[in-house]
Amino acid sequence: MVICIDEISEIPIYNQIRNQIVLGISDGRLQPGEQLPTVRALAEEIGINSMTVNKAYALLKQEGYIVTDRRNGARIRNEFDQGKYLSQTSLDNLQQIISEANIRGFSMFNIILFISTYPVLLIIYFVLKNNHKFHDHLLFSVSMKEEWVEQPAVQKIISEFHKQMNILLLIFFAIPLTSLLTSHFSIQFTIWMNWLMLLILLFYVPYAIANKKLKKWKKENQLYENQILVSYVEMKNDGNVRKVRFLPFFLPTFLSFFVFVLSLVFAALSEKTDFDSTIMVLSIAAISLLYWIIAFWMDRRPVEVICNDSDTNINYTRSKKNVWKNFWLACVWLNLAYTLITLLTLVSDAIHPGIFLVGSIAYALVLLILIIPLGKKFKNIEKRYVSSFDPAFKINEDEAWIFGLFYYNPNNKSSIVETRAGIGTSVNMATGLGKGLTIFSIIAMLSIPFISIFMIMEEFTPIHLVIKDDTLYCEHIFENYAIDTDTISNVSLVDELPSMVKSNGTAMDNLLKGKFHVRNQGNYELFLNPQHKYYINFSADEKNYYVNGFDDKETLDIYNAIKD
């Protein structure tokens, strides 16, 4: 193996030697047990001082990459401890890379969202774009006959939809790139959350336009024989086909909440985990129950009537419900694994907090992997039953589909219907449940801009420490802490914070606020700007604090006032 030294590099020469030997071990150029040149031989070969090589070898030995003895000199270790933490040098280099990336907009938050949300853009694009194809006697949620689709006016509608979707794809692909122009977390959060909101709203606009034009074309050509809204009900077996069973869903859901119970036990026995942290475990465990409820809800849909033959209707519905049952069951088991990962990162000092980050990314990616095949599975079902479809059972539903997206049919008492746009189900907005879910969705959408504004206020509003009437007030947007100065003890002024992990609260480049855990020390309440030089550490009311003020002068003034 050849070692190349860059004499004009800012990286010290001993570190260059160390890095290249580690790289050689990694790519196999240096084998376990292989002898390395002596310190003097390598120094003469490179043309440097032997003390520099000795320093590199000492660092490699300290990190566990090589072994040395007087008789055999230096050689590569035969075995490496796979479970050992990264060396301090590697951690320092990694931290430097992360810091530089964060300054340039590549924050961990940004990286996670690039990985997890860009696939959402592609899924919505391809699912909706696929709807410009004639299938299930539908085109843009409008009941059609195959010969109508070939009409020039209909082909023009399809072509315009195709162009609009491609333009939107390029626009929405470019918007998140603006988050790289800033290192401010709140700005990045605002860009991404509003991007997701607009993605859900605007990506359906071309579809709604095409639906409206197609309905108009059918009316102009008098192709609507009957526009009275009717519903068809399968009477055989009361129209019931059930695939979601109790035990398969109960077991992983029960285990998810059992993990939550374990978190409560650890909170009672461990200093690292507190009861506030268990809320995170509970919220994730509750998602398993949510998946089960959705699966149960979708399974209660009535049999879909596609023809006059009851057995065909039941088998068609059973096939589709079986696909959904398997999907939601996989989601419940996946969520159990995610709940367990969350617990382990909260209770164990041996598990690096980054595992939760990796687990979160993996969780999102696996969910996407589970979603992608759904469209193909439903297409295969439709192909098997294509000869059985009777267009007569679709034609009277067109007027019930507003813009082809929202279902409103007072004559249909079912709250859940098969969607015509994309895959899955939709709600009947004419029912009480449908109206409630619609109102909730609108409120959730409208809340995103307000949450974004609050995040921006959090990051850009300065913090202050004020002492009034023998009480230390920690003020931000609101008053966060009011601490009686008579209870404050063990006061010290420090210029360095220990390594810590957020339990709950806010963690931005210029604001750490809330509860944080310091390994082997316990929990601390933080109210500070980590970019300042000084921090006040003290105890009060059986809690430990790190705080600072608007600037170092305010911090020093408060420190002196507390000391006095």
Side-chain angles (χ1 to χ4, degrees), residues 334-352:
L334 175 64
N335 198 71
L336 168 60
Y338 187 46
T339 308
L340 188 59
I341 290 173
T342 305
L343 173 68
L344 293 176
T345 54
L346 287 175
V347 304
S348 176
D349 282 327
I351 297 178
H352 194 276

Side-chain angles (χ1 to χ4, degrees), residues 235-262:
M235 298 302 296
K236 186 175 182 179
N237 296 330
D238 294 329
N240 293 327
V241 174
R242 302 289 182 256
K243 298 299 295 182
V244 174
R245 306 301 181 200
F246 175 78
L247 188 59
F249 280 85
F250 171 76
L251 181 59
T253 304
F254 170 78
L255 292 175
S256 295
F257 281 94
F258 180 72
V259 172
F260 164 65
V261 173
L262 288 178

Side-chain angles (χ1 to χ4, degrees), residues 6 28 52 65 85 99 114 135 153 169 192 194-195 238 245 249 299 361 372 418 422 432 510 552 558 564:
D6 184 356
T52 303
Y65 292 110
Y85 289 115
S99 300
F114 270 111
H135 69 95
L169 178 66
W192 279 105
N194 287 276
W195 177 83
D238 294 329
R245 306 301 181 200
F249 280 85
D299 200 51
I361 295 174
I372 291 171
E418 190 80 17
N510 67 337
D552 288 330
I558 294 295
D564 295 340

Side-chain angles (χ1 to χ4, degrees), residues 233-341:
V233 179
E234 177 58 61
M235 298 302 296
K236 186 175 182 179
N237 296 330
D238 294 329
N240 293 327
V241 174
R242 302 289 182 256
K243 298 299 295 182
V244 174
R245 306 301 181 200
F246 175 78
L247 188 59
F249 280 85
F250 171 76
L251 181 59
T253 304
F254 170 78
L255 292 175
S256 295
F257 281 94
F258 180 72
V259 172
F260 164 65
V261 173
L262 288 178
S263 71
L264 292 175
V265 174
F266 280 110
L269 302 177
S270 170
E271 288 188 358
K272 178 178 181 182
T273 309
D274 55 27
F275 287 102
D276 291 339
S277 301
T278 63
I279 296 175
M280 180 187 296
V281 181
L282 175 61
S283 61
I284 296 174
I287 295 175
S288 294
L289 180 60
L290 178 63
Y291 287 151
W292 187 5
I293 292 172
I294 295 173
F296 179 84
W297 183 35
M298 293 179 65
D299 200 51
R300 291 305 174 255
R301 287 177 299 155
V303 171
E304 188 173 351
V305 180
I306 63 173
C307 64
N308 283 320
D309 183 66
S310 294
D311 289 335
T312 300
N313 293 331
I314 290 172
N315 290 331
Y316 173 74
T317 303
R318 181 180 290 116
S319 297
K320 299 183 81 171
K321 286 189 175 183
N322 194 55
V323 171
W324 281 116
K325 181 263 294 183
N326 292 334
F327 169 75
W328 291 116
L329 188 58
C331 289
V332 175
W333 281 104
L334 175 64
N335 198 71
L336 168 60
Y338 187 46
T339 308
L340 188 59
I341 290 173

Side-chain angles (χ1 to χ4, degrees), residues 136-137 305-308 385-395:
D136 192 15
H137 295 280
V305 180
I306 63 173
C307 64
N308 283 320
Y385 288 90
V386 66
S387 60
S388 302
F389 278 103
D390 186 344
F393 292 93
K394 293 285 186 182
I395 196 166

Side-chain angles (χ1 to χ4, degrees), residues 2-7 13-14 17 37-54:
V2 177
I3 292 179
C4 179
I5 299 300
D6 184 356
E7 295 183 357
I13 292 177
Y14 79 90
I17 297 172
T38 63
V39 170
R40 180 177 296 177
L42 184 57
E44 290 177 354
E45 183 177 342
I46 299 175
I48 59 175
N49 191 297
S50 60
M51 293 296 294
T52 303
V53 178
N54 191 58

